Amino acid sequence: MPAEFSHHRGCILVWPERPGSWPYDAGPARQAFAQVIRAIAESEHVYLCAGKNAMASAVAALGDEPNVTIFPGETDDAWARDIGPTFVTNGEGRIRAVDWQFNAWGGEYNGLYASWDKDDAFAALFAEKFGYERYDAHPFVLEGGAIHSDGEGTVLVTERCLLSAGRNPGLSKEEITRKLETYLGAEKVIWLPRGIYNDETDEHVDNVCAFVAPGEVVLAWTEDPEDPQYALSQASLSVLERETDAKGRKLRVHKLPVPDTPVIVTEQDLAGYVFAEGEDNREVGERLAASYVNFYFSNGAVIVPAFGGIHQLSDLRAQQILQQVCKGRKVIPVAAREILLGGGNIHCITQQIPG
């Protein structure tokens, strides 16, 4: 599995529609998605899937963009990172798609919605439509946001997610490690204990820690011992400081602080949702899993979430850190609170195709 910071031939997204994820008929979310797509399309091609009921909206917003291909497809929601294929390469230009089983982040145990068949079928749909050979990894349950690769044999995961009873309860940690080695070409899997506080994906790694170069990671952080994120990040730092990567290198850790003030659901936000039966609901005052680690590497930029308002100083700090860490790339902030209201962020709605 190549690193995300290596070259891409494109990026997959899905136009948002689900009323229980995207308040107010997904209007505000679509504006945010469109900003993300335009930023990515500056340096790589975007493949945007839209359902029949959302197609007109997608075409109206982005149909004139020369570097965007809009194609039809039905999904349950818009998390391309998790429902799209994970791409691997043989290093000689041949690319294949890995099709994991998707069960809405926990299935009958703690999944976030009651039906996910269309989401589970999306990776195969994309691979067939655009001509990629596919490895069918079913019945192994995994999401793209649960893994991060350095492109040199090292993969990051969290124990909280991959050992969740809602994923692969019949497999041991060692057996899951072997699955990752088999499908991703991994030589070393680094298991972080935890992710971001209140992350409803069972703490995906892509929200807490990401490779920015071989031997270098960013780690979501807080200096506030009263913040529930403090102990989680400390536990991950402890692992990263004593681990080496697949090449035997000690890891350099760049701390990337979370917003100083939590991002929470407001009454106005809550009024815009329409939850389906069996779907996870939101509550006023609920803390959202806001993290600047949930960025996307495009070929020319780092596209990073910004939360605005009282979070502006935290936003600016994150942008400055990423500019220092990701030299040679433009840092593009995108107002992403509306994406966060759906339960994830910029990395969660994107899936790169290596080139």
Side-chain angles (χ1 to χ4, degrees):
M1 180 182 174
E4 189 175 315
F5 51 75
S6 61
H7 189 266
H8 305 167
R9 67 171 59 174
C11 180
I12 308 168
L13 291 94
V14 179
W15 198 237
E17 180 179 358
R18 188 180 182 90
S21 295
W22 313 107
Y24 299 102
D25 298 319
R30 287 172 175 173
Q31 292 181 28
F33 271 61
Q35 290 180 42
V36 171
I37 289 166
R38 291 190 189 100
I40 295 171
E42 289 182 12
S43 62
E44 66 192 62
H45 199 84
V46 173
Y47 298 86
L48 177 62
C49 178
K52 61 181 182 296
N53 294 329
M55 179 60 75
S57 167
V59 171
L62 294 154
D64 293 335
E65 291 288 334
N67 219 16
V68 177
T69 296
I70 303 173
F71 66 96
E74 298 300 324
T75 61
D76 296 294
D77 208 345
W79 305 107
R81 175 67 50 181
D82 292 346
I83 67 174
T86 296
F87 292 94
V88 294
T89 176
N90 67 353
E92 298 173 1
R94 290 189 66 192
I95 298 168
R96 286 180 179 166
V98 182
D99 178 4
W100 315 108
Q101 182 161 325
F102 177 80
N103 70 353
W105 310 277
E108 299 297 333
Y109 177 74
N110 65 342
L112 297 183
Y113 37 80
S115 175
W116 51 81
D117 291 351
K118 289 181 285 188
D119 275 354
D120 188 38
F122 178 73
L125 179 154
F126 185 88
E128 181 176 356
K129 184 171 185 64
F130 292 97
Y132 290 98
E133 294 180 78
R134 178 174 63 98
Y135 293 120
D136 187 354
H138 290 67
F140 185 66
V141 177
L142 193 73
E143 306 92 35
I147 49 177
H148 238 298
S149 172
D150 71 347
E152 297 187 359
T154 313
V155 170
L156 288 168
V157 301
T158 68
E159 293 180 352
R160 181 63 168 245
C161 178
L162 269 66
L163 301 183
S164 160
R167 298 303 199 288
N168 300 287
L171 298 181
S172 67
K173 184 176 179 179
E174 291 72 25
E175 289 168 329
I176 292 170
T177 297
R178 286 198 291 274
K179 288 280 190 184
L180 299 177
E181 291 170 346
T182 298
Y183 282 107
L184 303 178
E187 300 167 17
K188 175 79 174 280
V189 179
I190 297 177
W191 291 78
L192 304 181
R194 300 293 300 271
I196 290 293
Y197 175 74
N198 229 24
D199 185 342
E200 59 197 10
T201 65
D202 295 311
E203 300 176 18
H204 271 178
V205 75
D206 73 343
N207 217 17
V208 71
C209 190
F211 284 108
V212 293
E216 294 189 40
V217 299
V218 288
L219 175 67
W221 192 254
T222 177
E223 296 287 353
D224 179 6
E226 300 301 315
D227 190 314
Q229 183 58 40
Y230 182 83
L232 278 58
S233 292
Q234 289 280 351
S236 290
L237 179 64
S238 177
V239 170
L240 292 166
E241 285 181 333
R242 67 174 182 264
E243 279 283 10
T244 56
D245 65 14
K247 301 297 185 186
R249 292 173 293 220
K250 294 289 290 183
L251 295 169
R252 184 179 181 190
V253 180
H254 305 277
K255 295 173 181 175
L256 187 58
V258 298
D260 289 330
T261 304
V263 182
I264 62 170
V265 177
T266 68
E267 288 186 16
Q268 183 177 352
D269 296 329
L270 191 63
Y273 290 101
V274 179
F275 298 108
E277 185 176 351
E279 187 169 21
D280 195 55
N281 294 355
R282 298 239 175 271
E283 298 176 358
V284 173
E286 176 183 342
R287 175 168 168 163
L288 298 168
S291 166
Y292 298 105
V293 174
N294 209 298
F295 59 80
Y296 179 76
F297 274 118
S298 69
N299 283 337
V302 179
I303 300 158
V304 59
F307 304 110
I310 61 172
H311 311 291
Q312 286 181 346
L313 289 179
S314 297
D315 291 346
L316 183 59
R317 177 181 61 200
Q319 293 158 30
Q320 290 171 337
I321 291 171
L322 286 170
Q323 191 64 77
Q324 293 167 359
V325 170
C326 305
K327 294 180 174 62
R329 291 182 195 259
K330 179 166 59 171
V331 172
I332 303 177
V334 173
R337 186 178 181 276
E338 297 297 336
I339 303 174
L340 181 62
L341 282 170
N345 222 302
I346 292 172
H347 196 258
C348 305
I349 65 170
T350 53
Q351 177 60 275
Q352 71 275 3
I353 307 169

